[in-house]
Amino acid sequence: MHDLSTFSLDDMISFGAMLRGLGEGARSMEDTAGRVVRALYESLARPATGARSCALVRFFETQRFDALPAERRKFALRMAACEALAPDTTCLQLLASAGDEPAWNDPRASAGHLAIPLPSEEALARMPMIAQLCTQLGITTSSVLRPARFTELAEQTYDVFYVEHAAASPYVPAKAGFVERHGIRSVVGCGGVLPSGQMFAVLLFSKVHVTRATAQLFRPLALAIKLAILPWSFAEQEDSTLSEAPREAREEVISCAP
């Protein structure tokens, strides 16, 4: 176990080695993402008591609307209030989740985050936490909304998302029902851009105070997570170049079926 309140450079090094190996034997990117959030949720704890540092850990990835599974496409259409979504509309999908509440351990149980459509910069601006996540990581909104396969973007090292005091931050929503109820004190996130041009991000909602110095130790952990999911990103990249939008997805764009 690694105590997040006293997380050190040595903790980061050993944790990074563990995260890099989580992709071995995985069946999909979603499977790997599930292993990542479970490892973070279970391993970040006080060694003396076993009390977990985080109430919730989530793994997000951007993806084209037409590349989402059918269940997530339908969810995105509902989130868009039945507006038509173009096949190449960027959606932020919740790939994996682990947390204190039973419903937080299955992305499909999420009421509002399974697949969030981002059809424009205005839509992204209406979600301050996601917009601030991109800003702090150093990922431009244009590269999120219009992903391009540029090697320099995939090879770049990105910063961390950090909210020291969640209760006072305008970027952390649901103050009463989430932050206060579950004792969220700080939020830390890390991520980057994959060779497919899509973004990934891992968010940790901590019940212990996290200093800026500790948050910065998560910057190299983003690379460890990226290495674990990298084979699936290459698979997504090949799929997107070899196939056009599925017929089912095109029909959903037109009919906006519930």
Side-chain angles (χ1 to χ4, degrees):
M1 291 184 179
H2 305 264
D3 191 344
L4 189 55
S5 63
T6 59
F7 202 73
S8 67
L9 180 61
D10 288 341
D11 289 319
M12 182 272 289
I13 293 171
S14 62
F15 216 74
M18 180 266 291
L19 290 171
R20 284 194 296 274
L22 292 179
E24 185 175 350
R27 301 181 303 274
S28 64
M29 184 180 290
E30 190 169 358
D31 183 19
T32 308
R35 297 180 183 191
V36 169
V37 297
R38 181 57 52 185
L40 289 166
Y41 175 66
E42 294 181 349
S43 298
L44 291 172
R46 294 186 182 275
T49 64
R52 290 184 172 123
S53 299
C54 297
L56 177 64
V57 182
R58 286 191 152 171
F59 192 118
F60 290 93
E61 184 213 16
T62 58
Q63 190 55 267
R64 286 171 55 110
F65 172 72
D66 62 1
L68 294 175
E71 179 185 13
R72 293 173 185 264
R73 292 199 298 270
K74 292 177 180 178
F75 189 98
L77 286 169
R78 288 197 296 270
M79 290 291 292
C82 225
E83 296 176 359
L85 293 176
D88 63 350
T89 298
T90 293
C91 294
L92 184 69
Q93 63 169 334
L94 177 60
L95 275 188
S97 179
D100 291 348
E101 295 288 332
W104 292 349
N105 294 280
D106 183 356
R108 291 175 293 276
S110 175
H113 299 95
L114 183 61
I116 305 169
L118 302 173
S120 65
E121 294 199 14
E122 290 75 20
L124 184 58
R126 289 194 293 270
M127 289 173 280
M129 186 172 187
I130 303 304
Q132 187 65 12
L133 169 68
C134 296
T135 298
Q136 289 196 23
L137 290 182
I139 301 174
T140 64
T141 55
S142 60
S143 63
V144 172
L145 300 178
R146 292 174 291 278
R149 299 184 188 92
F150 294 128
T151 303
E152 60 268 22
L153 290 179
E155 292 180 351
Q156 183 175 333
T157 300
Y158 293 90
D159 212 332
V160 296
F161 173 72
Y162 174 56
V163 175
E164 183 174 10
H165 302 293
S169 173
Y171 304 119
V172 183
K175 292 294 193 293
F178 176 59
V179 175
E180 294 177 10
R181 180 182 176 187
H182 296 279
I184 308 301
R185 297 189 62 187
S186 302
V187 184
V188 179
C190 62
V193 176
L194 298 166
S196 62
Q198 305 297 343
M199 178 189 82
F200 76 94
V202 178
L203 290 175
L204 300 90
F205 297 88
S206 173
K207 294 181 285 188
V208 301
H209 175 253
V210 178
T211 66
R212 182 171 294 279
T214 296
Q216 285 298 320
L217 290 174
F218 279 79
R219 189 178 183 186
L221 292 183
L223 178 58
I225 295 169
K226 181 177 178 178
L227 290 173
I229 63 174
L230 203 55
W232 303 108
S233 175
F234 284 121
E236 286 181 353
Q237 185 176 358
E238 291 174 1
D239 288 345
S240 67
T241 57
L242 293 175
S243 63
E244 58 180 336
R247 177 181 178 83
E248 184 182 0
R250 296 197 301 269
E251 290 174 349
E252 284 179 330
V253 171
I254 296 171
S255 66
C256 211

